[in-house]
Structures are given as structure tokens and as C-alpha cells.
Amino acid sequence: MKAKTVLVSAAVGVGLGTLLLPGAALADTVVSPATTPVGGTVVLTATTCNPSTGDALFRVTGPDRDQNVRSTTAAAGGGLSAELFTAGFTLGTYTVAATCGDGSADGSTTFTVTPIGGAAAGGRDAADGTGALAAGGVLLGSAAGGALILVRRRRHMAAATR
């Protein structure tokens, strides 16, 4: 009976991970380009925000920023977008997190501000969806690993009581 409980718990964990993975993979905030010199412009896009539910709010945080950028502009590929001019930004990496008008999160990403004429720093490519997929894979793997540990522990405890 106890093994059945463990298996049911593991199945629920795997099922929950499977349900959450598509939502995590679809929620996506994109910054293009991922690297810009001081005084450059980046386009912030919340790809899954529906313009009919209201404005998208982009929160930009980094070495010298904690500001919100509101967007009502429909993006060409879907969602909402805004332009951000980086004049006055300190060199470094900034995080952009988007919230849709209906209150749902659209995810987050980063961009890097470099010196004018500086070498490009690492960043996230606009077509890169591996982060959300990796997070979902870790969630599924953790659920399966936890179930395996519980099953082995139950078997060990059952063998010890015999």
C-alpha cells in the first residue's frame, strides 16, 4: 500500500512538471539586440502578451537601473514591444522581466551594455528557447529522481523490518 502511495506521488509530480513545461516554454521576453553600446537602442518584446488585455510592463534592473517601461505597441511577430534607449546606462548586464496586462508573467531575459566600439559580450539570442526547456527538464528530472529515492527508501525500510 505504501509503495502505491509513492508511485501515485511520483506520477502526480511528473504530471505537474509536464503541465508546467509548455507554459514555461511559451512565456518569453526577448531583447534585441542582446548586446548594445552605451547610447544604443534595444527592443523589448513580451511575445505572449495579448494587446487586447492591456499594456505590457517591462521592469529593467541592473547596475544602475530599476525602472519600468510601459508598452502599448503591438509587436510585428505578436505580443507587445517597447524601445529602450541606453544613454546614461552603466556598463554591465541588465535583466528585463515582463508582465502582461492581465497580470501574467511573460518571463525574463538579459541584455548587456558595452562601451562604444567595445567587443560584444555574451547575451541571449532572440531565437534561443533552451532556458525554459532546460528548466522544464530539470523539473521533470527532479520529480523522477525524487520518486526513485522514495521507492528505494521504502524498499530498504521494508527489508529492514523483515
Side-chain angles (χ1 to χ4, degrees), residues 28-154:
D28 201 17
T29 298
V30 178
V31 176
S32 179
T35 302
T36 188
V38 172
T41 301
V42 293
V43 177
L44 315 173
T45 305
T47 60
T48 61
C49 289
N50 184 346
S52 66
T53 62
D55 303 350
L57 185 65
F58 298 94
R59 182 167 182 199
V60 180
T61 56
D64 68 341
R65 297 282 165 191
D66 188 357
Q67 73 182 69
N68 292 323
V69 179
R70 186 171 297 279
S71 171
T72 58
T73 305
L80 291 164
S81 66
E83 290 186 355
L84 178 65
F85 187 53
T86 62
F89 276 53
T90 299
L91 303 180
T93 301
Y94 293 80
T95 300
V96 178
T99 304
C100 300
D102 62 2
S104 64
D106 191 66
S108 65
T109 190
T110 62
F111 70 95
T112 303
V113 176
T114 61
I116 296 174
R124 178 176 165 191
D125 182 67
D128 182 9
T130 58
L133 292 176
V138 168
L139 180 64
L140 289 172
S142 297
L148 181 63
I149 290 170
L150 286 174
V151 167
R152 286 185 177 178
R153 183 173 180 211
R154 297 280 181 168

